[in-house]
Amino acid sequence: KDGSGVTGKCRITVNNTAYFVKSIDELESPHNYSNNSSDIWIYTAPASQNELTITFDERTEVEEDFDYIYLLSGDGTEVGKYTGTQLSGKTIKIPGNMVKIKLVSDDAGTEWGFKVKSINEKPKLTVALSADPVGSIVSGSQVRLIAEASGGSGKYTYKFLVCDDKDNWYRIQDYGTNNTCTWIPGTAGKKTLYVDVKDSDGSIKRAELLYEVKNKEVPLTVKFTASPSASAASGSEVKLTAEVSGGNR
């Protein structure tokens, strides 16, 4: 409204389609795409995946400053907004196991659109902790701790810790490439063993294991003596002595 008294009307039809694709080959727009569209392509990897690395075709292009491609994670968080050739041949990381690609165009002018060339899926980092011997051991004996990691990216480093039933923490081994270590427990009691595994991206995953340390058992022995030994005359005094060791008092 500019004071001229001139008015007009127009109709704009916006087409919106959601495509749930099952393969990378389906992750592309029409070439060229249509005007007045707001289409979205949704790709979901297995739940075990923690990150998607997406590479776009070099021909990817939309009308600069008028049409846009939005990349969103599974929860709807916007990872990026792109126009023109900003996504041409580019590689973008999407957190989680789902990506949503939304192409929004205006009412005039189009370009080639987009095509996803590849998706590299990054499995979630997982770790399991075990001990040998299993479950419990006598104080002062050796326990071998073993960590088994999978997923994540690159090489792993491992840190081993122990916490007693009084919430006292001790480091058994700081971060290193060895996934096993030897622990020699001292004080008896209930313990919780931990391993922290870190991948090359800095992601950390923890596993824990309940363990019991028992007091060292010493066999119960007794030594019995008489004085005088062997024999004594009738009516004489005989001193009997018992010396006990070991066992539980």
Side-chain angles (χ1 to χ4, degrees):
K1 191 172 182 180
D2 60 4
S4 65
V6 177
T7 61
K9 295 182 179 180
C10 67
R11 173 181 289 182
I12 297 176
T13 302
V14 177
N15 300 311
N16 184 294
T17 304
Y19 301 94
F20 293 88
V21 303
K22 295 183 178 180
S23 71
I24 298 173
D25 295 337
E26 300 175 84
L27 271 176
E28 64 176 305
S29 67
H31 312 299
N32 290 4
Y33 56 87
S34 302
N35 289 318
N36 300 319
S37 66
S38 181
D39 294 345
I40 188 166
W41 288 257
I42 301 169
Y43 174 81
T44 305
S48 59
Q49 305 306 308
N50 192 51
E51 182 181 84
L52 304 178
T53 301
I54 302 175
T55 301
F56 286 84
D57 189 283
E58 291 78 2
R59 293 168 291 180
T60 296
E61 182 178 1
V62 293
E63 188 183 12
E64 189 168 4
D65 296 329
F66 292 98
D67 300 341
Y68 295 91
I69 295 174
Y70 298 83
L71 298 184
L72 307 103
S73 59
D75 62 2
T77 300
E78 184 179 303
V79 176
K81 175 183 177 182
Y82 309 89
T83 191
T85 58
Q86 290 177 338
L87 276 179
S88 173
K90 294 296 188 298
T91 297
I92 309 292
K93 291 185 177 181
I94 307 293
N97 69 318
M98 178 186 293
V99 61
K100 300 176 181 179
I101 304 175
K102 187 175 184 179
L103 195 161
V104 178
S105 63
D106 64 1
D107 61 349
T110 65
E111 293 291 349
W112 190 79
F114 78 89
K115 177 179 174 63
V116 171
K117 189 161 65 173
S118 67
I119 294 182
N120 292 324
E121 301 174 356
K122 175 184 172 183
K124 292 179 180 179
L125 178 62
T126 62
V127 61
L129 177 63
S130 61
D132 181 22
V134 176
S136 64
I137 200 168
V138 174
S139 175
S141 302
Q142 288 190 355
V143 181
R144 183 169 179 259
L145 304 179
I146 308 103
E148 298 291 343
S150 62
S153 61
K155 297 181 179 179
Y156 307 125
T157 55
Y158 305 84
K159 179 169 70 172
F160 293 88
L161 306 152
V162 60
C163 181
D164 63 21
D165 52 7
K166 295 180 181 178
D167 203 31
N168 296 310
W169 287 80
Y170 304 94
R171 183 173 59 212
I172 302 171
Q173 174 184 292
D174 206 349
Y175 279 113
T177 56
N178 196 341
N179 72 319
T180 66
C181 76
T182 299
W183 171 52
I184 302 176
T187 307
K190 303 287 186 180
K191 315 288 183 181
T192 306
L193 299 165
Y194 297 89
V195 63
D196 291 340
V197 60
K198 183 192 297 184
D199 69 8
S200 58
D201 285 343
S203 298
I204 298 175
K205 187 69 176 179
R206 170 171 286 185
E208 64 182 64
L209 181 68
L210 298 178
Y211 207 79
E212 183 178 6
V213 179
K214 299 179 179 180
N215 283 316
K216 188 174 182 180
E217 295 183 358
V218 179
L220 178 64
T221 61
V222 60
K223 180 181 179 183
F224 185 61
T225 60
S227 179
S229 61
S231 65
S234 176
S236 300
E237 184 180 277
V238 178
K239 183 181 180 182
L240 304 177
T241 305
E243 296 179 2
V244 180
S245 63
N248 295 317
R249 297 185 180 184

